[in-house]
């Protein structure tokens, strides 16, 4: 599936949630979509768990 099609499907899901469920449902669908995106990237191997907890290098 191309990124354009995935984006279109995500936009349609957010539009339906916003129209039928209100702003709270819109935010819930957006948050769950972001969590799903991160989990998907993690499972594909594009992202490591250390990417979230890495504090960066300290400079002296």
């Amino acid at each position: 599936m191309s990124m354009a099609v995935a984006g279109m499907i995500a936009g349609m899901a957010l539009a339906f949630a916003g129209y039928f469920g209100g702003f709270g449902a819109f935010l819930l669908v957006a948050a769950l979509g972001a969590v799903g995106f991160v989990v998907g990237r993690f499972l594909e191997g594009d992202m490591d768990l250390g990417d979230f907890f890495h504090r960066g290098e300290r400079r002296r």
Side-chain angles (χ1 to χ4, degrees):
M1 178 182 314
S2 72
M3 291 299 289
V5 173
M8 180 185 68
I9 292 171
M12 289 174 61
L14 287 171
F16 277 113
Y19 183 77
F20 291 111
F23 188 67
F26 173 83
L27 290 179
L28 179 65
V29 170
L32 291 176
V35 168
F37 175 77
V38 170
V39 169
R41 295 291 299 248
F42 177 73
L43 292 176
E44 285 181 353
D46 293 337
M47 190 179 292
D48 292 329
L49 193 58
D51 292 342
F52 294 106
F53 301 111
H54 184 68
R55 295 184 182 187
E57 296 182 21
R58 294 184 180 185
R59 295 183 185 209
R60 294 185 179 188

